[in-house]
Each structure stands twice: as C-alpha cells, then as structure tokens.
Amino acid sequence: MTAANRVALAPGLYFLATPIGTARDITLRALDILASADVLAAEDTRSLRKLMDIHGVALDGRPLISYHDHNGAKTRPALIAALEQGKSVAYASEAGTPLIADPGYQLGRVAREAGHLVTAAPGPSALLSALTVSGLATDSFFFAGFAPNASGQRQSFFRGLAEVPGTLVFYESPNRVAKSLADMVKVFGPEREAVMARELTKKFEEVCRAQLGELALQMSERKLKGEVVLLVARGEEAALDEEAVRNMLKDALKSHSVKDAVSSIVQDTGWKRRDVYQMALTLEKE
Ligand code: SAM
C-alpha cells in the first residue's frame, strides 16, 4: 500500500525536500515524483531507498544515481545528459531541502543554464522548522549556514553578522554548540535572546531559549547529541523602539520627501516599510 501515484512528469529536474526526522513528513507530491521520475539521484542513495521503502515506492529498475559534493563534477554530466534526452530527474539530499547547506546548487544552475525545467517539491527544512518553534522574530531572518571551525575565523564570521537586522539562524554540530555560543557571547554580547533547537520532528525534540550568556552557560554543562540549529535574536541597534524611530523619521522629514525619508529609515532601522510609512503619514498630519 502506497500513498504515491504514478503521474506524468514533464522533462526536467525536480528538487525534492525529504523529512528531517519523522518519515511521514514527506509530501504526497514528493512521493508521486519519486514514483514517477525516469531517473532518481540522491546525496545518500541508501537513505533515499529507505524512505522509498517506508512509503512503498518501488524503484522498478530505474537508475538511482549518487550525487554529492565530492562527486558532483563527475556525476553532473550524466544527469544533464538525462535531461537532454527529455527525461525527468528527481534529486533529494540526505534530509530536508536540497541546496540548503546541502548539494544541488551547481546541478540546478547548470540545468537551468542549459534551458531545462528546474522545479521544486517543497517540504521540510530544519531552518524553517527551527524558526517556527523558536519564539524569535520571523519577519526578517538571515540564514548563515555553518560557522567556520576555527574559533578566530568563527568570531570574525559572527562580527560580519552583528548588524544584520533580523534573526540569525545557524546550523551547528552538537559537539561544537558550546564553543560557538561562547564565541557568540564575545561578539554579540550576553544579552540577545538565543535558541538551541535540537532533534526537530524527532523523539527527543528540544527547544531551549535564554539570553545568549545564559544559554552558553547551560550548554557548556551538557554533552549534546543529535542535530542542532542555533538562533540569535536581532541586535538592539536594529530593534529600535518606536520613539527612537519616530525621532529619526521626524528629522529625515525635515529635509526629505515622505518617500525618501521612509526609504532611508527603513534601511537604517530594519523596520517594515508599511509601518514607517504609516508613522510618516501620522507625523505629517500633526
Ligand atoms: N538541507 C537540510 C535542511 O533543509 O534543513 C540541512 C542539511 S545540513 C547538512 C544538516 C544540518 O541541518 C544539521 O547539522 C543541523 O544543523 C540541521 N538539522 C537537520 N535536521 C535537523 C533536525 N531534525 N533538528 C535540528 N537541526 C537539524
């Protein structure tokens, strides 16, 4: 018994999102594509086979090609050749959404540049799941991927992100969490709110939220296992309160049109254009 339907697929490259933990998080459309594509490719062919087995999708003699960071240059031509022959090619990374800190970027670019259809069957991603459960602002965020391994490089990496006017999201390996948080405290200070989200969608899912200094201390006392996303709230400078933004806007309106004043305040504060515009209209009336 399978939930997948065999469907007619247009020739092209299909990027499939796969579960980040719970196998049933696969979408019905991803299952249909897995059941129907002429060629399957995966970062980890064993994981994909397992997922297909769980959902009763048979390979039925179709090719299942391994495509990952280390063999991409060698394997890409075979996948592009299949597209040239008018075939449908489905690609899945090991877990979550391909290209998001996972292989697929070059494959998508080359396929698109050669004029082929490149499309996505969206679904799970640790990035969005972590943001969703974090309790931190989601109106604006910056996905920074994995920070560098060496502490010095990591700190300069964080320094480059200190002024980003949005929630910062990092992928992290469990045994580096405490070191990364300690470096974050050095760069961002101890007060920003931060979150450690672990094993999302799995049995031991855990979300810890505290000020950065406190979270760093908590995590330094634990030996973490599993998969982890770290999130850090936007900095104070970016999260100016309403009074401060109103004063900046008042000043800007003295020498600029409403449109220009609003644009410059949006850029300087990270506030939403709609809110700043509304504030400008109110100030104009006063
Ligand atoms: N492409 C994937 C996605 O869309 O989320 C991410 C792949 S990246 C190689 C793997 C990293 O994602 C892990 O080191 C961890 O930071 C994060 N991750 C993946 N699954 C997770 C989960 N269930 N809970 C928390 N973080 C997870």
Side-chain angles (χ1 to χ4, degrees), residues 1-2 4 51-58:
M1 170 76 177
T2 173
L51 188 65
M52 289 168 69
D53 284 348
I54 290 172
H55 293 290
V57 177

Side-chain angles (χ1 to χ4, degrees), residues 20-22 198-206 226-227:
I20 58 168
T22 298
R198 192 173 72 87
E199 294 289 86
L200 296 166
T201 78
K202 303 187 203 176
K203 187 171 173 196
F204 296 108
E205 173 167 324
E206 181 187 21
E227 302 197 272

Side-chain angles (χ1 to χ4, degrees), residues 28 96 103 191:
L28 294 174
E191 279 168 12

Side-chain angles (χ1 to χ4, degrees), residues 161-166 188 192 232-240:
L161 301 170
E163 304 297 329
V164 170
F188 302 134
R192 287 201 200 185
V232 180
R234 68 204 282 172
E236 276 300 308
E237 302 78 11
L240 288 170

Side-chain angles (χ1 to χ4, degrees), residues 174-175 196 198-199 204 206 222-228:
N175 48 21
M196 190 282 298
R198 192 173 72 87
E199 294 289 86
F204 296 108
E206 181 187 21
R222 289 182 53 182
K223 201 162 164 45
L224 291 179
K225 280 194 187 148
E227 302 197 272
V228 175

Side-chain angles (χ1 to χ4, degrees), residues 20 95 97 100-102 125-126 146 171-172 199-200 227-229:
I20 58 168
T97 300
I100 306 301
D102 260 348
S125 177
F146 288 94
Y171 284 169
E172 192 49 283
E199 294 289 86
L200 296 166
E227 302 197 272
V228 175
V229 181

Side-chain angles (χ1 to χ4, degrees), residues 265-279:
I265 298 303
V266 167
Q267 194 167 12
D268 290 348
T269 62
W271 268 44
K272 284 192 185 143
R273 177 170 298 276
R274 194 185 51 217
D275 296 340
V276 179
Y277 188 69
Q278 199 53 51
M279 194 183 258

